[in-house]
Amino acid sequence: MLDTAPEFSEEALEAGRLLFAGPADFVLGVASLSGLPPADRAEVCFAGRSNVGKSSLINALTGRAKLARSSAEPGRTRELNYFDIGGEGKLYLVDLPGFGYAKVSKTQTAAWTKLIKSYLRGRPSLRRVFLLVDARRGGLMDTDEEVMNLMDGAAVTYQVVLTKVDKVPKAEVEKTVAKITEKLKKRGAAHPVVRMTSAEKGFGIPELRAEIAGLAALG
């Protein structure tokens, strides 16, 4: 398994553990901007292609096996799903509909895309978008870069998170990280650190918790 650099202090890692050890509850699914909850706390959101492992990663972060429901049918998530993390108004974690929708109409796809774009451009409490990329893909796909273009244009900070790194040899993961990191250097809104995770093995989960807890602390 890959090694991680000691980039977070023990205090930061503990803050991440405590945040996700607290309450974690599904709040609501939002199908239109009018349904968004008040922007009264920090928000982070997870974006990525269908089947990238968003639900599994959310469940791993919170230590709850069924908080976010994955589906055997890609593209089934058709709303912005809000989760209250930590209670006491600490953080919203938002699960965006997956890209690369399967078996849906062009009209429905256009509606989802419009909703996502409007959300990313206009949510003042959004602190960061975590763009999930399947490590088995070997790099960014066209749909990933399209979303990155949107976030660059909207000046929304985003960070790439590789998922399923346990499914790929270490050397290949390192090559993928280097390839993506080089591309991120040319993008103004991109966070420079590519985070590596495995929801199944727990790899990288403490560090991602710490990263999110730091954003939650900004309010």
Side-chain angles (χ1 to χ4, degrees):
M1 185 55 67
L2 295 165
D3 297 321
T4 52
E7 55 188 311
F8 292 103
S9 66
E10 289 298 323
E11 291 80 5
L13 290 169
E14 178 64 6
R17 186 191 71 79
L18 289 173
L19 174 64
F20 283 93
D25 300 296
F26 174 73
V27 179
L28 79 166
V30 177
S32 65
L33 290 182
S34 61
L36 288 172
D40 58 359
R41 68 198 70 179
E43 265 176 48
V44 298
C45 78
F46 284 9
R49 289 178 56 84
S50 299
N51 276 359
V52 76
K54 286 193 284 101
S55 296
S56 296
L57 187 57
I58 291 171
N59 291 338
L61 286 167
T62 59
R64 291 161 175 81
K66 298 181 180 179
L67 179 65
R69 297 179 181 178
S70 58
S71 171
E73 179 187 344
R76 185 177 177 186
T77 300
R78 303 179 184 184
E79 298 177 322
L80 280 65
N81 288 318
Y82 268 76
F83 298 91
D84 180 15
I85 305 297
E88 301 177 350
K90 290 186 175 72
L91 177 76
Y92 277 138
L93 191 156
V94 185
D95 182 12
L96 296 188
F99 313 132
Y101 313 114
K103 299 180 182 178
V104 295
S105 69
K106 291 183 178 180
T107 300
Q108 183 66 73
T109 299
W112 297 345
T113 303
K114 182 179 179 181
L115 173 62
I116 293 170
K117 286 182 177 180
S118 298
Y119 166 75
L120 293 176
R121 287 172 176 160
R123 191 65 171 168
S125 52
L126 180 59
R127 297 290 175 262
R128 186 171 301 172
V129 175
F130 291 95
L131 178 60
L132 276 54
V133 175
D134 190 329
R136 297 173 298 181
R137 298 284 185 179
L140 299 170
M141 300 189 70
D142 289 345
T143 47
D144 298 322
E145 300 220 38
E146 288 170 11
V147 176
M148 291 164 70
N149 290 339
L150 169 64
M151 292 186 287
D152 284 332
V156 175
T157 302
Y158 58 93
Q159 182 170 10
V160 172
V161 176
L162 286 184
T163 62
K164 308 179 184 181
V165 298
D166 59 304
K167 309 295 185 185
V168 182
K170 177 181 176 180
E172 290 186 25
V173 175
E174 291 175 344
K175 288 180 182 178
T176 298
V177 170
K179 186 190 305 183
I180 294 175
T181 299
E182 191 61 31
K183 286 192 173 185
L184 294 180
K185 290 178 181 178
K186 303 173 183 178
R187 292 182 171 273
H191 189 285
V193 175
V194 176
R195 201 151 295 291
M196 297 168 285
T197 65
S198 165
E200 183 176 329
K201 303 295 185 182
F203 176 78
I205 299 301
E207 290 77 17
L208 185 54
R209 286 174 178 157
E211 188 102 61
I212 293 172
L215 296 169
L218 299 175

